[in-house]
Structure formats: structure tokens, C-alpha cells
Amino acid sequence: MLRSVDELMCPSLVGQHIAIDCKSVRGSHDGKQSAIHLVSEWSSASGLTLGQVQTADKGNEITAIPELLATLDVKGAIITIDAMDCQRGIAAEIVAGGADYVLAVKDNQPGPAEAVKLWFDAADGGKMDRPFWDDIQTEKDHGRMETRRCLVTNDVAWLGQHDQN
């Protein structure tokens, strides 16, 4: 059966993890010219960069992400983005594309950050009134014991009640 070039180059992303991140290219500045900043879409499953956009500076990655998202059919994928790019507009574009997302929240967004801290406190204290999954993995790595804990919920309606800054 013949398949289109698009199918061969980028198969369905349903259930796939796509990481979006910005990196500065080391050694790409010379004093007069600032470093090159690239925003990339990375497929964890295939180990390939699916798309990449150069930005004028590090702060412009927020505007580059929607441009990158438009290059893929992200329906059914899981998109991860770091805290700097945790923006309502970006989340809305991901949802509009039919994908799910995992966005980091840090203290640069005090309302959501406080809500997440309270959520973790409730989960740790056994006072959670919402469904969540908890997984802990411990392994010896790099000469030390490492423990990773993952708490997950798909019920985040409570987050909308907090200041979105």
C-alpha cells in the first residue's frame, strides 16, 4: 500500500510525547551579535526534532511556540512545556489542536503556584477530595539513591479559581 510522504515523515502523534523547549546555541554570539535562540518540538518516541524556529531573543519563544504548534497535527499527543512558556494562550492552542499538555508552574505565576502547592499539601495530608494517581520509583543512579514521585490528576477545574497572572 502506498503511503503519502507526510505519513512517512511524521506518523500519527496520538499518544506520543512532544517536548517544546528553547535553547541558546553555545558559542553563537560574538559580542556584537547575541546568541542564537531556537525553539524546538522534540519527539521523545522517535528521538527526532519535529520542528524548529529561531527567535530574535530568548523572550520571543512565547510567540514562536504557536508558530511551531501550527506545523504539526498534534491531535492526541501530550505536549510538555517549561514554566517560562506556561501561558493561557499556548495552552488554549494545544487544546484547540486536540492535544493534552503538561505545563510547569513556578513562582513567576503566584496564583497557580500557590494553588498547586496547596494541592500537593492536601495530597500528602490525605485530605484530597479529587481523584489522583501517585507513583514512587526509587533507584540507585549516579552513585546515590534517587527517589522520583509523580502525582497526577486530570481534574484541574480548581486551578481556574486562582489568579492566572
Side-chain angles (χ1 to χ4, degrees):
M1 174 178 170
L2 290 175
R3 293 170 29 175
S4 72
V5 172
D6 288 341
E7 281 185 74
L8 297 174
M9 295 291 287
C10 188
S12 170
L13 296 174
V14 172
Q16 299 296 311
H17 169 227
I18 307 301
I20 297 178
D21 198 13
C22 181
K23 297 292 181 198
S24 297
V25 179
R26 272 183 83 159
S28 63
H29 62 88
D30 63 8
K32 297 175 186 171
Q33 181 177 339
S34 61
I36 296 171
H37 301 285
L38 299 173
V39 181
S40 302
E41 297 169 317
W42 173 262
S43 167
S44 296
S46 66
L48 295 172
T49 298
L50 301 175
Q52 196 169 62
V53 173
Q54 181 176 344
T55 66
D57 61 37
K58 190 151 179 77
N60 288 348
E61 67 186 82
I62 293 170
T63 59
I65 289 173
E67 182 182 337
L68 262 178
L69 286 170
T71 66
L72 290 176
D73 178 6
V74 296
K75 186 175 184 176
I78 301 164
I79 311 289
T80 59
I81 302 178
D82 65 14
M84 180 178 166
D85 304 312
C86 180
Q87 305 288 323
R88 283 178 277 172
I90 292 172
E93 291 213 22
I94 292 169
V95 171
D100 291 314
Y101 60 83
V102 177
L103 302 178
V105 177
K106 289 187 179 175
D107 288 337
N108 64 339
Q109 297 181 331
E114 181 62 23
V116 170
K117 287 175 188 171
L118 291 172
W119 186 89
F120 276 100
D121 289 346
D124 284 342
K127 300 174 187 170
M128 183 58 63
D129 61 350
R130 297 176 171 83
F132 72 97
W133 300 267
D134 190 355
D135 184 54
I136 298 174
Q137 297 179 359
T138 303
E139 63 185 38
K140 186 172 182 177
D141 197 13
H142 304 291
R144 63 181 178 266
M145 293 301 291
E146 293 184 358
T147 301
R148 293 180 185 87
R149 182 175 183 203
C150 182
L151 289 153
V152 178
T153 184
N154 60 1
D155 178 9
V156 292
W158 52 270
L159 193 54
Q161 301 165 4
H162 298 272
D163 178 26
Q164 296 294 312
N165 295 351

